[in-house]
Amino acid sequence: MAALMGRLLRACGARALDRDGACRITAACLKATQPRALIGSLHAPGAAGARRYSSESKDELRVRYLHGEDAGIVVVEINRPKAKNSISKNLVKLMFEAVDDIKKNNKVRSVVLCSLVPGVFCAGADLKERAKMPQSEVGPFVSKARALITELGNLPVPVIAAIDGAALGGGLEMALACDIRIASNSAKLGLVETKLAIIPGAGGTQRLPRAIGVSLAKELIFAARVVDGQEASRLGLVNRCVEQNQSGDAAYLQALELAREINPQGPIAIRMAKLAINQGIEVDLSTGLAIEEACYAQVIPTKDRLEGLAAFKEKRRPNFRGE
């Protein structure tokens, strides 16, 4: 159990403090730090969840830390309208910075990943940039993009992908790394790399089978098939499909509502639940149950657990502080 707990703590950046091995979560996934200023970071007045679509690419990535009743929700918005939000070197750099800041901030309770470009979530790799890239740079760039998407999936808090348009190639791989995917019925999703005589290189061959099963994943990848939001929901590729609205942000609005459902729950419990699920699903049931036990042990000494019991007894809403 001690060895297992050590692996779990390393998985979320934590370290053991007490000599008896009764480990406490104290590190990167729980340590309070203030995020550094982000490029395009917005704290706009008005409704916390309100946003505007953009036709300019001044800020390729915008990160909003919501406030008021929505405090704890972070909205990450991709904004490359001229390139259909395709994945470039600069976008990878900006997303690494955003993910790093979110990971260090224990006040974050959930993340919504979406697009500021109408009709597009992310169209995959920036093929114009790729065409100019020397062959020797292609492999390292794909490796870096893969590492980014892995880091996105490894964030200790729930990450919700709001897919209001095309999520193709690397765009779908990015969404697959998220914990929850919500799509509009007008969305288009597919791993289309075989059309270019390549394969998904940022986790698609591994995450898609885990999401929808091996046989269906092979069919979609081999045929480079694109499905709409309703078909994606039927296949289990997305959690739910919503009817698109006139403003083209139905999936985003639904994702924001889900984030608001998650927000009042115990934040340490949510982090431990995600860790237990993500680690446990990759191992046999017996080891998975041991992982669950180890994660449960981390919530027992928390102030939030005592607050939850007190609130139940006093018939009031709990006020969890992540302590």
Side-chain angles (χ1 to χ4, degrees), residues 46-58:
R51 65 184 188 138
R52 296 178 181 177
Y53 278 127
S54 172
S55 60
E56 299 181 0
S57 56
K58 180 180 178 182

Side-chain angles (χ1 to χ4, degrees), residues 8-275:
L8 288 174
L9 291 171
R10 287 193 294 274
C12 67
R15 57 188 175 90
L17 286 187
D18 45 9
R19 297 176 181 176
D20 297 328
C23 305
R24 299 175 184 174
I25 297 297
T26 58
C29 62
L30 295 177
K31 184 179 178 182
T33 60
Q34 292 300 319
R36 65 177 179 268
L38 292 174
I39 296 177
S41 181
L42 302 179
H43 297 273
R51 65 184 188 138
R52 296 178 181 177
Y53 278 127
S54 172
S55 60
E56 299 181 0
S57 56
K58 180 180 178 182
D59 300 316
E60 293 193 347
L61 190 73
R62 300 185 184 183
V63 181
R64 292 189 293 139
Y65 287 75
L66 303 190
H67 49 82
E69 292 185 358
D70 287 338
I73 301 174
V74 179
V75 181
V76 179
E77 301 165 320
I78 307 174
N79 184 43
R80 301 192 72 217
K82 294 180 180 178
K84 297 183 178 179
N85 283 351
S86 58
I87 301 169
S88 64
K89 289 181 179 179
N90 188 53
L91 182 61
V92 168
K93 174 180 175 292
L94 294 175
M95 289 195 70
F96 258 122
E97 292 175 358
V99 168
D100 188 52
D101 281 322
I102 291 168
K103 183 168 58 177
K104 292 176 180 177
N105 188 345
N106 80 327
K107 295 184 179 181
V108 175
R109 298 196 178 189
S110 61
V111 176
V112 175
L113 177 64
C114 59
S115 166
L116 279 176
V117 180
V120 177
F121 176 75
C122 173
D126 188 332
L127 296 181
K128 290 183 179 179
E129 182 181 79
R130 183 76 60 85
K132 299 175 184 178
M133 198 178 290
Q135 185 172 334
S136 60
E137 293 182 13
V138 174
F141 173 73
V142 173
S143 294
K144 193 167 185 178
R146 184 187 303 115
L148 165 65
I149 290 173
T150 298
E151 284 297 298
L152 178 67
N154 286 341
L155 280 173
V157 297
V159 183
I160 307 166
I163 307 169
D164 274 305
L168 303 174
L172 180 53
E173 290 178 300
M174 193 181 297
L176 282 167
C178 298
D179 300 293
I180 298 166
R181 291 168 292 283
I182 298 174
S184 69
N185 62 331
S186 61
K188 302 295 181 185
L189 304 91
L191 295 177
V192 296
E193 285 86 351
T194 54
K195 286 186 176 182
L196 298 173
I198 58 175
I199 70 170
T205 64
Q206 303 306 304
R207 292 190 178 93
L208 186 62
R210 284 167 168 79
I212 67 173
V214 173
S215 184
L216 279 173
K218 287 178 176 177
E219 180 180 343
L220 295 187
I221 291 173
F222 294 168
R225 184 173 301 156
V226 176
V227 300
D228 62 20
Q230 288 183 331
E231 179 70 1
S233 179
R234 188 186 71 80
L235 294 173
L237 180 52
V238 300
N239 293 62
R240 69 188 74 168
C241 175
V242 294
E243 187 78 19
Q244 189 57 282
N245 57 27
Q246 290 186 346
S247 57
D249 62 353
Y252 163 73
L253 294 176
Q254 186 68 47
L256 185 60
E257 283 304 309
L258 179 55
R260 287 168 174 159
E261 278 188 68
I262 295 169
N263 225 23
Q265 315 311 325
I268 298 176
I270 294 294
R271 289 173 180 235
M272 288 297 100
K274 175 172 177 173
L275 183 61

